[in-house]
Amino acid sequence: MATNGNDGGVDLRPDNKILIPATLVLIGIIACSILFTESFEQVLKTVYGVFTRTTGTWYLWVTVAMMILSCFFMFSRYGEIKFGEEDEKPEFSNYSWIAMMFCSGVAGAVMFWSIVEPLFNLAYPPQFAEPLSRQSFEWAMSYVLLHWGPVTWPWYMVTALPICYMYYKRKKPVLRISSTAEPVIGDKVNGPIGKGIEVFFIIGLMFSNAAVMGVSVPIVNHALGAVLGIEPSFTLELIILGISAVIFTVSVSLGLKKGIKILSDTNVLIALAMVFFCFVAGPTVFIVDNFTNSFGHMLGNFWNMIFWTDPYTDGSFPQDWTIFYALWMASYGPFMGLFIARISRGRSVRQVVAMGLAGGIAGSYMIHAVFGGYTMYAQLNGVVDAVAILKASGGPAALVATLKSLPLGQVVLVGYCVFSTIFLATSVDSCAYVISCAATTKLQPGSEPTRGHRFYWAAIQAGLALAAITMGGLGPVRVFANFSGALMLIPIAFAIAAWFKMTKEDDALVKYCSPKK
């Protein structure tokens, strides 16, 4: 692995006290997943079941706290704090900033869940509705909008703020999640506690991204198989991983501004083109009506939906979906916080939170409204019995059947393959970038980790994704996501505590905000 020595306050060598422990844990998990697949998967499922049943409800409360904090930071005087100099303009345009954040935040899984989650909600509905009943259709899209809106994006925005403050206001020369804990634990951040936080962060983020890849790769496998007229196979999945690796390699070689930025901008255009085609070629009126109805249904039942735990039956919908999403998005919180911090020079707290929430939720809702709406229309009107396919052959097969039922279905599948593969590459690239920042000895604003260091973490990430794919199904994905979310709550708690401590110590509301009128 290429390294650089200390030059002008920058030391790009990997911090082995972080790199080695994280690597050993991850390699051990990869080995157990591949060599002892069935027994290891059973252990994970058992741990997952006990964990969600005993602690899951607490994460619903924390998710609501994140929503409240987002509103507080956006509308209070904290919103005036600017990351960078007062006259400094944003480093990236609004479009590129939202595109990079959106592509990194939802990754390739958004297309899968936009079709498959409504089908699961119809087949195994919440709130005691009967399968495929009118009530199940009422709830299906409402829960999708809840999960991909209020449950998701506040985690990212709140976690980003203390990291941005540390990086741009206190000039802390590292992009590490543990750096935000320094105001709370002092010099201990440079010792075992700080290193431990980073190791937790790296392992958690690796698990979270492996969950995304464990969903994305099998979908592209089935979609590409349908386009080429061949059977989906493990070999084809390896080829898809290889293609993503090539895209990732090019992106790393180009750097942040030309790599992730160009991929993200391009993929948002592909997504918009696919959404527009499905909206126009599909049942346009139904899509608009269904989204409007579902959005209103979600708002009218918001508190019931977010806090529903089903304590009186043996149902598991809240644990399998709402709590799962809360933990999964928590697992991405520190990663997105670090990534948003890197691209948010010149923006205020209010801009980061407001634009992040608006852009992220709008983008998610657009994709889910169109593809989820078409899925529900196709099921309701007998265009394709996707629920039956879901039960018989799984989510990827149901997704392919649904997309094929569209006009020019083969072309849509090709677009979907390109879209998801690029999303996968941007997810790997962003993840490897952030982890290599965390494990680099010393970075200054404007400097980047070495390419070799980023490739190293990308290779381990691919190995963990291979482990998830080897076990197969949504079970391991849920386990990986929930495990990572539980790990990430530790650095998130430190970050939020540090935000209030730092802004109080620096008298930030006086120093960085205009006088209160």
Side-chain angles (χ1 to χ4, degrees), residues 438-504:
T440 295
T441 302
K442 190 176 184 181
L443 285 176
Q444 293 283 7
S447 60
E448 296 187 1
T450 63
R451 293 175 182 174
H453 195 179
R454 291 165 69 182
F455 281 127
Y456 175 81
W457 289 113
I460 294 181
Q461 186 174 218
L464 199 58
L466 185 62
I469 293 168
T470 300
M471 288 188 284
L474 288 179
V477 169
R478 284 198 173 105
V479 172
F480 277 25
N482 280 260
F483 179 68
S484 60
L487 288 176
M488 289 300 193
L489 277 188
I490 298 172
I492 288 174
F494 274 116
I496 294 174
W499 164 267
F500 288 105
K501 195 170 190 298
M502 286 187 297
T503 52
K504 183 178 180 180

Side-chain angles (χ1 to χ4, degrees), residues 85-158:
E85 302 303 322
E86 286 303 312
D87 58 348
E88 192 169 9
K89 294 182 178 180
E91 185 177 3
F92 298 96
S93 69
N94 290 340
Y95 173 80
S96 292
W97 186 84
I98 292 175
M100 286 190 285
M101 181 199 64
F102 181 74
C103 288
S104 299
V106 301
V110 64
M111 290 293 289
F112 174 75
W113 294 114
S114 67
I115 292 174
V116 172
E117 187 179 347
L119 293 176
F120 267 107
N121 293 347
L122 293 174
Y124 312 100
Q127 303 286 352
F128 315 113
E130 292 296 322
L132 294 174
S133 64
R134 183 190 65 79
Q135 289 80 10
S136 70
F137 276 88
E138 289 275 1
W139 289 111
M141 183 58 68
S142 300
Y143 264 97
V144 172
L145 299 181
L146 174 76
H147 295 153
W148 287 88
V151 171
T152 295
W153 294 94
W155 284 101
Y156 303 164
M157 300 305 118
V158 172

Side-chain angles (χ1 to χ4, degrees), residues 72 305 428 486:
F72 173 71
M305 293 168 68
V428 173

Side-chain angles (χ1 to χ4, degrees), residues 94-333:
N94 290 340
Y95 173 80
S96 292
W97 186 84
I98 292 175
M100 286 190 285
M101 181 199 64
F102 181 74
C103 288
S104 299
V106 301
V110 64
M111 290 293 289
F112 174 75
W113 294 114
S114 67
I115 292 174
V116 172
E117 187 179 347
L119 293 176
F120 267 107
N121 293 347
L122 293 174
Y124 312 100
Q127 303 286 352
F128 315 113
E130 292 296 322
L132 294 174
S133 64
R134 183 190 65 79
Q135 289 80 10
S136 70
F137 276 88
E138 289 275 1
W139 289 111
M141 183 58 68
S142 300
Y143 264 97
V144 172
L145 299 181
L146 174 76
H147 295 153
W148 287 88
V151 171
T152 295
W153 294 94
W155 284 101
Y156 303 164
M157 300 305 118
V158 172
T159 311
L161 298 182
I163 303 170
C164 287
Y165 190 92
M166 201 78 174
Y167 194 56
Y168 295 112
K169 288 301 184 185
R170 289 204 166 184
K171 309 296 183 184
K172 186 69 178 179
V174 291
L175 272 175
R176 287 181 178 173
I177 192 67
S178 63
S179 66
T180 59
E182 185 176 356
V184 179
I185 62 177
D187 291 338
K188 293 179 181 178
V189 76
N190 299 315
I193 294 178
K195 306 296 183 185
I197 292 173
E198 290 302 328
V199 171
F200 271 109
F201 164 69
I202 290 172
I203 294 171
L205 179 54
M206 282 288 187
F207 267 97
S208 184
N209 229 37
V212 173
M213 297 173 76
V215 167
S216 302
V217 174
I219 309 167
V220 180
N221 181 22
H222 278 74
L224 200 58
V227 170
L228 299 177
I230 59 177
E231 287 294 318
S233 64
F234 183 70
T235 301
L236 189 55
E237 289 182 341
L238 292 179
I239 293 173
I240 293 164
L241 277 174
I243 294 172
S244 295
V246 171
I247 298 173
F248 162 76
T249 301
V250 174
S251 178
V252 170
S253 300
L254 292 173
L256 179 65
K257 292 186 179 180
K258 293 183 179 180
I260 299 176
K261 177 181 178 296
I262 291 175
L263 283 177
S264 299
D265 289 353
T266 302
N267 223 28
V268 167
L269 292 176
I270 295 173
L272 290 173
M274 291 180 64
V275 168
F276 178 77
F277 175 79
C278 183
F279 181 71
V280 173
T284 306
V285 174
F286 179 87
I287 288 172
V288 173
D289 288 349
N290 182 63
F291 172 75
T292 303
N293 182 76
S294 299
F295 185 69
H297 194 254
M298 180 200 71
L299 292 180
N301 295 276
F302 179 81
W303 296 112
N304 174 37
M305 293 168 68
I306 192 71
F307 282 130
W308 183 54
T309 58
D310 194 9
Y312 310 116
T313 74
D314 58 356
S316 61
F317 184 94
Q319 291 75 27
D320 290 344
W321 292 105
T322 309
I323 292 172
F324 157 67
Y325 271 111
L327 281 162
W328 195 8
M329 300 316 165
S331 72
Y332 259 91

